[in-house]
Every structure is written in structure tokens, then in C-alpha cells.
């Protein structure tokens, strides 16, 4: 089994995270998948940003849930990474989906719903509706640390693929609410490293955030379903080298 390489918040090591530029770069280097994070703005727009606040990635103090899309769009979401990206903006989920359509992306899109700290009323329905509106060539998996959100996603459509995000034991479940099967685990790499040699359910394991070259090699050799990394190009090069080494 080939281990897929999923770009964490896009190609975060080379471009400002969760921007169209970062996602475009992840596509350019031929990542097998893209991971992104979604919140709701004050006026109910699904926006792609990791934190509940704008402080870290824009340099402007603000709470995403208390700002309108227009206010969020005024912010510079790239200069924190490099002055070369001063024109980068916080994208909406729809804008990212349109980008994937334009380039014919055919990998995995991992949408993390950031509802573990802020209760965004209606975000599950909106995300689902936007995804369903697209005639897409890629697969979609919904992940979250908030398992109630994933249950809600299953209640909307039991065909939705859900993945549990976790760092510790007792969160590694195989079903939710006694009836909703889990399609994958997305554990922290330290948790996964301790348990790969033990008996685990036959579920795809997509491990985050795997950046160290030795760790990348370790998990590829272990044949996990995927690694989620800030360095997709590096990981892809390592995987290619390992394939060559196996053939020698």
C-alpha cells in the first residue's frame, strides 16, 4: 500500500498556510491530498483559517466569529510568512473548491471543522452543501476534534466519510453514538508511533503532523494510509526515493 502525502494547510512550509497560494503550491508539487480548516464568519460565511482568531496569521487582533467576511478579506494573510505574499487573503471554502475544480484536482480533500472551541451554528450543513454543489473528481473526508460535529455530518448523509482527530487514548473509537461507523483515524504522530506495532483496528490511519525526514520514512515504511505534513514536496521526494531503494 502506498502512503499518501497530504499537504497540511496547503504547502505550509513554503507558502502562507490556508491560502489559495499554499493550496496551489500543494497541487503543483503533486500532493496526494490537501488538508484545510474551516470556521464561520459573523455573517455566516465558511472561511478557511486555522485559528479562532486572526492575530497570528494576519497581525491584526480579531475573532473570526465576530468579523464579517468583508472585514476578514481586508486583512493581509501572507506577510506573516513573507513580504512576498502581502497580497494573500483569507479564502472562503467556496473559493478553494473552485480552485480545485479549475485545476482538475483528483486527490483527497480533508476538511477539518474547527468546532472544538467555538460552536458555529449551521457550519456542518453549509460545508456539506458547498461540497455537494461541486461535480468533483476528488474524495472528501471530514475531520474534527469535536465528535458531535462528525455525528451531525453523518446524520445529514451517512455516506459522508468522517475521521477522528485525536492525541490520546479513549478518543480512538471505531464508531460514534453507537451507530455511526468511523472511516479513518487522524492521530498525532507521537500517539501513532507508540502503537503501530500493536493491534489496531483495520482503519486507515492518516498521521499528523509529520515533518521530520526520519519520521516521514518511518511512517511510509509502516505503510500508514497517509501522512499529513507541512513539507509535501520533501515527503514526496522521500517516498519516491524509498520506492527506488526497494527495487534495487
Amino acid at each position: 500500500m502506498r502512503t499518501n502525502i497530504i499537504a497540511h494547510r496547503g504547502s505550509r512550509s513554503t507558502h502562507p498556510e490556508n491560502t489559495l497560494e499554499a493550496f496551489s503550491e500543494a497541487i503543483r508539487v503533486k500532493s496526494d491530498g490537501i488538508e484545510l480548516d474551516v470556521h464561520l464568519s459573523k455573517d455566516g460565511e465558511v472561511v478557511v483559517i486555522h485559528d479562532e482568531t486572526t492575530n497570528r496569521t494576519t497581525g491584526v487582533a480579531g475573532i473570526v466569529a465576530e468579523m464579517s467576511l468583508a472585514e476578514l478579506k481586508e486583512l493581509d494573510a501572507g506577510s506573516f510568512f513573507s513580504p512576498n505574499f502581502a497580497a494573500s487573503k483569507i479564502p472562503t471554502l467556496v473559493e478553494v473548491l473552485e480552485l480545485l475544480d479549475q485545476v482538475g484536482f483528483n486527490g483527497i480533500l480533508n476538511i477539518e471543522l474547527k468546532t472544538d472551541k467555538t460552536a458555529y451554528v449551521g457550519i456542518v450543513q453549509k460545508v456539506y452543501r458547498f461540497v455537494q454543489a461541486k461535480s468533483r473528481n476528488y474524495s472528501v473526508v471530514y475531520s474534527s476534534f469535536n465528535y458531535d460535529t462528525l455525528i451531525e455530518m453523518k446524520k445529514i448523509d451517512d455516506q459522508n466519510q468522517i475521521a477522528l482527530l485525536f492525541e490520546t487514548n479513549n478518543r480512538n473509537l471505531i464508531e460514534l453514538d453507537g451507530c455511526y461507523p468511523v472511516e479513518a483515524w487522524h492521530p498525532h504522530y507521537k500517539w501513532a508511533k507508540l502503537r503501530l506495532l500493536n493491534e489496531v483496528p483495520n482503519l486507515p490511519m492518516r498521521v499528523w503532523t509529520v515533518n521530520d525526514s526520519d519520521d516521514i520514512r518511518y511512517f511510509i515504511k509502516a505503510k500508514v494510509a497517509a501522512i499529513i505534513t507541512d513539507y509535501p514536496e520533501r515527503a514526496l521526494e522521500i517516498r519516491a526515493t524509498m520506492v527506488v531503494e526497494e527495487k534495487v
Side-chain angles (χ1 to χ4, degrees):
M1 180 182 75
R2 187 183 77 164
T3 296
N4 285 322
I5 307 301
I6 298 177
H8 185 228
R9 309 180 203 172
S11 186
R12 186 186 176 208
S13 60
T14 58
H15 291 68
E17 65 179 64
N18 277 327
T19 61
L20 295 180
E21 291 83 356
F23 301 132
S24 294
E25 177 64 8
I27 294 165
R28 186 192 70 79
V29 302
K30 302 188 185 309
S31 301
D32 301 307
I34 289 172
E35 185 269 354
L36 56 79
D37 311 277
V38 293
H39 296 258
L40 277 188
S41 66
K42 182 179 179 180
D43 47 352
E45 297 290 341
V46 182
V47 292
V48 179
I49 184 172
H50 180 269
D51 301 350
E52 284 73 21
T53 67
T54 58
N55 305 33
R56 179 177 62 87
T57 56
T58 73
V60 175
I63 298 173
V64 174
E66 297 178 359
M67 301 176 72
S68 68
L69 178 61
E71 291 171 324
L72 292 168
K73 282 293 189 182
E74 290 178 357
L75 303 180
D76 170 357
S79 289
F80 80 97
F81 184 86
S82 165
N84 295 331
F85 294 102
S88 297
K89 299 296 181 183
I90 297 171
T92 64
L93 177 60
V94 170
E95 288 173 329
V96 177
L97 296 177
E98 289 174 347
L99 170 66
L100 300 185
D101 283 350
Q102 290 168 7
V103 300
F105 179 66
N106 61 0
I108 303 165
L109 175 61
N110 175 192
I111 301 176
E112 180 182 344
L113 294 111
K114 302 292 286 186
T115 54
D116 46 308
K117 294 181 181 179
T118 303
Y120 292 114
V121 178
I123 190 171
V124 174
Q125 294 88 343
K126 288 183 178 183
V127 169
Y128 174 75
R129 186 170 70 248
F130 291 150
V131 170
Q132 291 302 115
K134 295 294 180 182
S135 177
R136 58 191 186 280
N137 295 319
Y138 51 89
S139 61
V140 177
V141 59
Y142 302 100
S143 64
S144 184
F145 286 100
N146 183 343
Y147 295 175
D148 287 338
T149 292
L150 299 180
I151 290 171
E152 188 177 353
M153 188 61 78
K154 277 291 191 181
K155 286 181 176 179
I156 290 176
D157 186 342
D158 62 8
Q159 296 303 303
N160 285 330
Q161 301 287 299
I162 62 170
L164 306 186
L165 278 163
F166 59 89
E167 300 182 59
T168 60
N169 287 335
N170 303 320
R171 301 275 289 167
N172 50 320
L173 309 174
I174 59 174
E175 66 177 14
L176 299 178
D177 209 24
C179 60
Y180 298 109
V182 171
E183 278 76 32
W185 283 355
H186 289 189
H188 189 271
Y189 79 96
K190 291 182 179 178
W191 184 96
K193 224 174 181 183
L194 291 173
R195 289 160 180 83
L196 279 181
L197 298 179
N198 300 328
E199 188 74 20
V200 296
N202 188 26
L203 286 175
M205 190 179 295
R206 304 185 186 104
V207 185
W208 59 275
T209 303
V210 186
N211 289 335
D212 179 79
S213 294
D214 288 340
D215 286 336
I216 291 171
R217 282 183 168 272
Y218 175 86
F219 285 111
I220 291 175
K221 188 175 182 180
K223 299 187 184 302
V224 297
I227 61 171
I228 301 172
T229 178
D230 296 333
Y231 297 84
E233 187 168 25
R234 175 197 294 175
L236 288 162
E237 290 171 353
I238 290 173
R239 187 180 69 186
T241 299
M242 293 177 68
V243 170
V244 171
E245 290 172 350
E246 288 178 359
K247 292 180 178 178
V248 173

